[in-house]
Amino acid sequence: MKKNVDLPSYEEVIETFKKSFNQVNDEELNQLFFNNNSKLYTRGEDIYHQGRRINGCYFIYSGVVKVFQTGGEGKEQIIRFARKGDLIGFRSVINQELACTSAKTVDNAILYYIPSSILIKLLKTNPEFSYQIIRLVCKELGESNCYITDIAQKTVKERLAEILTMLISDFGLDDDKVLQITITREELANMVGTATESVIRLLSEFKTEKIIETKGRKLRILNPRILSEIAKSY
Amino acid sequence: MKKNVDLPSYEEVIETFKKSFNQVNDEELNQLFFNNNSKLYTRGEDIYHQGRRINGCYFIYSGVVKVFQTGGEGKEQIIRFARKGDLIGFRSVINQELACTSAKTVDNAILYYIPSSILIKLLKTNPEFSYQIIRLVCKELGESNCYITDIAQKTVKERLAEILTMLISDFGLDDDKVLQITITREELANMVGTATESVIRLLSEFKTEKIIETKGRKLRILNPRILSEIAKSY
DNA sequence: CGCTCTTTTGATCGGAGTCAAAGTCGGTGG
DNA sequence: CCACCGACTTTGACTCCGATCAAAAGAGCG
């Protein structure tokens, strides 16, 4: 587990950033990344914390980050998993309010910090970039709205199948059909919005139905099709 | 119920629009509203429909509109109530995809139709307006995310108290403490994400606890404080 | 004035949460 | 190298919130 990871060069960060946001010119890129403050985070490290002040957002160069809210009883609700090329924390920056989510790494990750002032200046001066951000936020809003309906109307089984389907399409399977993101049962439960034990029982069901196999935290998806069948229910 | 409502003049629409979006100049306003196509909708009328193509968005000059999704079993999940000064439908316009919500009037309403092309042009050429829209969407996204956590973790009673609290702050009470929006029990249930009968039972509880009184669809809120106490639970 | 839609109350059932306990895995240090 | 420890996973038993079904009472409208 003690891989020696090199931090990316200026050029590598910019290359990755351009893949997500292609409307930013060289001078602006330079402003965003001139002081190259990328940082390596190891699994489980806090990036920012709900209720705290947040003075900038983070661009994910590599790794996986969970964005979540902590409810009344201290239970996490995972809003999304963010990965390479994603921007996190900008919502609170833009609204200039305390962070209303927390973010924590799920996998070793390299993040690049972007101060509020630079992001906001870019938004106010570059309409094309601004438009890309609008589309991005609108997309997330659409997803959130759909998830409200799902969580209000679907059974836990349907939602679990849906989350698995989503993880498959976001993170993919390897040649051996193993899902390329490793998360605990609890994290899966916090994503689905249910108890850990319920997730475990349903995964067992899926196993007896030959839809998946499990080995520790590795999930082998034998039949993605049926999962998305179960998920939709309409 | 057969009030004769006059459609607003060009100046009146613009006046109302400026209160919500103050970064739009006169020429742009003229482009938005030059053909004055406002329309009166009566209660229960469809504005746009989930899954259909949508070629523009709507500015609400007056009245109340519910924005909702229809789930698998045909059950509505209300995402929000929009009112005077709000813009609806722009999310799907911006993402150039089929509407992923439906909208219907809850109260007689006057809406102003804004074609996609004009909205998008405005977004791409006016960075200040664009920035206002970003903030608006970010705000909605924050609210949606919070609601995901609530619906996943809170009891129906807490959520009902929360929705009532929200309705009070959005629509207000009159001198007689009567909530200034009139909705059916079913709509309330579809907002909370529960069954109509559950809402009715909980409202009865609130009545015996002297927190509210009901007369038909009129809700008199005797003790808003306790409602928000019940709602938060943390 | 009757018809339909909405509201209310009652009875029942089941999904999913909670609590408890046993089993498993991986990492650490002796 | 192996034994131990803590964290995670699994299974079982029990409980209860809230959904569903059913039916009566009330309200709004043509």
Side-chain angles (χ1 to χ4, degrees):
Chain A
M1 206 50 167
K2 206 167 287 177
K3 283 184 245 175
N4 236 335
V5 183
D6 286 330
L7 290 177
S9 72
Y10 182 81
E11 287 75 19
E12 286 168 326
V13 176
I14 285 189
E15 204 45 53
T16 308
F17 188 83
K18 275 176 153 174
K19 278 184 197 144
S20 299
F21 305 98
N22 56 18
Q23 299 280 4
V24 182
N25 68 37
D26 289 346
E27 195 196 318
E28 290 165 335
L29 285 168
N30 194 43
Q31 283 185 12
L32 281 171
F33 298 108
F34 75 103
N35 52 356
N36 198 36
N37 48 10
S38 50
K39 186 184 162 195
L40 176 65
Y41 291 75
T42 53
R43 175 174 167 84
E45 230 179 307
D46 269 5
I47 298 161
Y48 60 83
H49 199 281
Q50 183 175 351
R52 304 253 177 84
R53 199 174 164 65
I54 179 169
N55 298 311
C57 61
Y58 299 83
F59 175 69
I60 304 180
Y61 174 76
S62 68
V64 181
V65 172
K66 62 175 170 181
V67 178
F68 60 97
Q69 287 194 324
T70 309
E73 326 283 87
K75 192 169 155 55
E76 288 179 8
Q77 175 64 41
I78 296 178
I79 305 294
R80 66 184 183 117
F81 286 109
R83 60 194 204 285
K84 180 170 184 157
D86 288 342
L87 210 51
I88 59 170
F90 66 92
R91 218 200 48 73
S92 301
V93 165
I94 289 171
N95 279 348
Q96 296 172 303
E97 55 188 32
L98 301 179
C100 76
T101 54
S102 305
K104 204 179 254 201
T105 48
V106 168
D107 220 348
N108 290 353
I110 296 171
L111 303 191
Y112 203 97
Y113 178 73
I114 298 174
S116 303
S117 55
I118 295 184
L119 179 75
I120 290 178
K121 187 179 164 203
L122 190 53
L123 285 173
K124 286 189 171 168
T125 55
N126 182 333
E128 285 82 17
F129 174 70
S130 200
Y131 189 66
Q132 283 195 316
I133 292 287
I134 290 186
R135 296 193 61 167
L136 185 70
V137 187
C138 282
K139 183 161 162 289
E140 281 188 36
L141 181 58
E143 286 165 1
S144 280
N145 287 343
C146 286
Y147 201 53
I148 288 174
T149 306
D150 285 349
I151 215 166
Q153 299 191 6
K154 288 184 178 178
T155 64
V156 172
K157 185 170 186 174
E158 288 163 348
R159 264 147 52 207
L160 176 59
E162 179 170 38
I163 294 292
L164 289 174
T165 302
M166 197 206 66
L167 291 175
I168 293 166
S169 87
D170 280 3
F171 295 94
L173 304 179
D174 68 6
D175 294 342
D176 215 24
K177 299 187 177 177
V178 174
L179 182 63
Q180 294 300 290
I181 179 178
T182 303
I183 53 178
T184 65
R185 302 287 190 264
E186 190 183 5
E187 283 168 334
L188 205 43
N190 291 343
M191 179 117 230
V192 174
T194 187
T196 309
E197 295 94 325
S198 297
V199 163
I200 289 168
R201 275 181 244 276
L202 290 167
L203 288 179
S204 300
E205 268 190 52
F206 289 156
K207 274 188 273 187
T208 60
E209 290 163 16
K210 306 284 182 211
I211 302 171
I212 64 168
E213 283 174 2
T214 66
K215 170 134 193 210
R217 287 181 194 161
K218 294 288 172 199
L219 293 186
R220 172 175 290 126
I221 311 294
L222 303 174
N223 197 334
R225 178 105 34 99
I226 292 196
L227 276 182
S228 62
E229 285 290 320
I230 294 172
K232 64 175 169 40
S233 82
Y234 64 95
Chain B
M1 205 52 167
K2 206 167 286 176
K3 282 184 246 174
N4 236 335
V5 184
D6 286 329
L7 290 177
S9 71
Y10 182 81
E11 288 75 19
E12 286 167 327
V13 175
I14 286 190
E15 203 48 51
T16 309
F17 188 83
K18 276 177 152 174
K19 279 183 196 145
S20 299
F21 305 99
N22 55 18
Q23 300 278 4
V24 182
N25 68 38
D26 289 346
E27 196 196 317
E28 290 166 335
L29 285 167
N30 193 46
Q31 283 185 12
L32 282 171
F33 297 108
F34 76 105
N35 51 357
N36 199 34
N37 50 10
S38 49
K39 186 184 161 196
L40 176 65
Y41 290 76
T42 53
R43 174 174 169 85
E45 230 179 308
D46 268 6
I47 297 161
Y48 61 82
H49 200 280
Q50 182 175 352
R52 303 253 177 83
R53 200 173 165 66
I54 178 170
N55 298 311
C57 60
Y58 299 83
F59 175 69
I60 304 180
Y61 175 78
S62 68
V64 181
V65 172
K66 62 175 171 181
V67 178
F68 61 96
Q69 287 193 323
T70 308
E73 325 285 86
K75 192 170 154 55
E76 289 180 7
Q77 175 65 40
I78 296 179
I79 306 292
R80 65 185 184 117
F81 287 108
R83 61 192 204 285
K84 180 171 185 158
D86 287 343
L87 210 53
I88 60 169
F90 66 93
R91 218 200 50 72
S92 301
V93 165
I94 289 172
N95 279 349
Q96 294 172 305
E97 54 188 31
L98 302 179
C100 75
T101 53
S102 303
K104 203 178 255 201
T105 48
V106 166
D107 220 350
N108 290 353
I110 296 172
L111 304 190
Y112 203 96
Y113 178 74
I114 298 174
S116 303
S117 55
I118 294 184
L119 179 75
I120 290 178
K121 187 179 165 204
L122 191 53
L123 285 172
K124 286 186 171 168
T125 55
N126 182 333
E128 285 82 17
F129 174 70
S130 200
Y131 190 65
Q132 283 195 316
I133 293 287
I134 290 186
R135 296 193 60 167
L136 185 70
V137 188
C138 282
K139 182 161 161 289
E140 281 189 34
L141 181 59
E143 286 164 2
S144 279
N145 286 343
C146 286
Y147 201 54
I148 288 175
T149 306
D150 285 349
I151 215 167
Q153 300 191 4
K154 288 185 178 178
T155 63
V156 171
K157 184 170 185 174
E158 289 164 348
R159 264 147 52 208
L160 176 60
E162 179 170 37
I163 294 293
L164 289 175
T165 301
M166 198 206 65
L167 291 176
I168 293 167
S169 87
D170 280 4
F171 295 94
L173 304 179
D174 68 5
D175 295 342
D176 214 25
K177 298 186 176 178
V178 174
L179 183 62
Q180 294 300 291
I181 179 179
T182 303
I183 54 178
T184 65
R185 302 288 190 263
E186 190 183 4
E187 283 168 335
L188 206 43
N190 290 344
M191 179 116 230
V192 174
T194 188
T196 309
E197 295 94 323
S198 298
V199 163
I200 289 167
R201 276 180 242 276
L202 289 167
L203 287 178
S204 300
E205 268 190 51
F206 289 156
K207 274 188 273 187
T208 60
E209 292 165 12
K210 306 284 181 212
I211 301 172
I212 64 169
E213 283 174 2
T214 66
K215 170 134 194 212
R217 286 180 195 163
K218 293 289 173 198
L219 293 186
R220 171 175 290 125
I221 312 293
L222 303 175
N223 197 335
R225 178 104 35 99
I226 291 196
L227 276 183
S228 60
E229 285 289 322
I230 294 171
K232 65 177 168 42
S233 84
Y234 64 93

